[in-house]
């Protein structure tokens, strides 16, 4: 069996565990969840695949998803679909956000999006011309226990809480 978990449309939505988001939100004070669903959005302002939403007494939605919408001057949380990480990394570089914190699988560092969009610039190595952002990486300890529909993902064979077969890291862009 391959050591990497296969990515399918169903497995592409991995909800961020509340304990991880709470810890990161206390550090970064997010104002926008750029890659959410209506049921798992972590911030009052959020993008789904197709809409921008503002949660309040009434959810107000407008056309436009996280990859096409504006992140300008926001403090952005991104837990992207792992099948298309490169597009989200490009969006972060072009975002004009105050801060972007993105959760990615640490085992994908051999892929072209990492080599082209992360490795040349991470951890004090500079940034693309005119970008105005610096990128740092933080490798998380252990494995992240993602949720599905707000509940822990259970191993069908054992019934115990399941972990992905990979660790995760944070990519953090901040204005220079």
């Amino acid at each position: 069996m391959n050591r990497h978990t296969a990515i399918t449309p169903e497995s592409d939505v991995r909800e961020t565990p509340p304990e991880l988001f709470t810890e990161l939100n206390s550090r970064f004070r997010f104002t926008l969840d750029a890659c959410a669903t209506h049921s798992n959005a972590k911030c009052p302002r959020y993008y789904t695949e197709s809409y921008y939403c503002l949660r309040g007494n009434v959810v107000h939605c407008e056309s436009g998803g996280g990859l096409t919408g504006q992140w300008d001057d926001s403090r952005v949380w991104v837990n992207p679909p792992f099948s298309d990480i490169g597009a989200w990394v490009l969006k972060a570089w072009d975002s004009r956000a105050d801060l972007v914190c993105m959760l990615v699988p640490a085992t994908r560092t051999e892929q072209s999006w990492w080599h082209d969009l992360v490795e040349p610039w991470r951890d004090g190595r500079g940034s693309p011309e005119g970008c105005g952002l610096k990128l740092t990486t933080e490798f998380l300890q252990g494995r992240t226990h993602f949720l599905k529909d707000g509940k822990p993902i259970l191993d069908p064979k054992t019934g115990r809480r399941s972990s992905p077969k990979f660790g995760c890291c944070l990519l953090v862009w901040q204005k220079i």
Side-chain angles (χ1 to χ4, degrees):
M1 184 169 146
N2 189 332
R3 68 182 183 94
H4 299 293
T5 302
I7 297 173
T8 64
E10 184 174 291
S11 71
D12 224 7
V13 175
R14 293 174 175 88
E15 296 174 34
T16 307
E19 60 276 7
L20 175 60
F21 182 79
T22 299
E23 175 189 331
L24 295 172
N25 192 40
S26 70
R27 285 177 55 197
F28 297 118
R29 301 176 324 280
F30 300 117
T31 60
L32 175 67
D33 183 344
C35 192
T37 66
H38 294 298
S39 63
N40 72 18
K42 302 298 183 197
C43 299
R45 288 178 48 230
Y46 64 96
Y47 284 105
T48 67
E49 186 176 347
S50 304
Y51 295 98
Y52 168 75
C53 301
L54 179 60
R55 212 175 21 217
N57 292 338
V58 176
V59 174
H60 172 72
C61 294
E62 300 172 1
S63 256
L67 281 174
T68 58
Q70 297 298 312
W71 298 4
D72 299 18
D73 305 316
S74 297
R75 300 180 70 78
V76 184
W77 167 247
V78 185
N79 179 356
F82 290 176
S83 65
D84 195 21
I85 297 170
W88 291 91
V89 173
L90 276 172
K91 174 65 176 184
W93 279 119
D94 294 337
S95 69
R96 296 190 194 116
D98 285 341
L99 174 133
V100 177
C101 180
M102 186 179 301
L103 181 67
V104 300
T107 58
R108 299 299 199 294
T109 59
E110 80 285 353
Q111 295 188 359
S112 61
W113 64 264
W114 183 277
H115 285 276
D116 297 342
L117 304 171
V118 175
E119 194 62 32
W121 315 112
R122 71 180 180 98
D123 303 329
R125 296 181 186 161
S127 64
E129 178 107 12
C131 176
L133 297 172
K134 69 175 181 175
L135 172 63
T136 57
T137 55
E138 297 180 28
F139 288 83
L140 303 179
Q141 290 185 338
R143 297 208 171 135
T144 303
H145 292 280
F146 294 100
L147 306 176
K148 182 176 180 176
D149 300 326
K151 297 178 181 149
I153 299 170
L154 302 178
D155 183 304
K157 293 178 185 173
T158 66
R160 286 189 247 151
R161 191 173 188 180
S162 177
S163 289
K165 306 294 186 229
F166 50 83
C168 291
C169 72
L170 300 175
L171 304 178
V172 182
W173 291 263
Q174 293 182 299
K175 279 189 178 175
I176 299 173

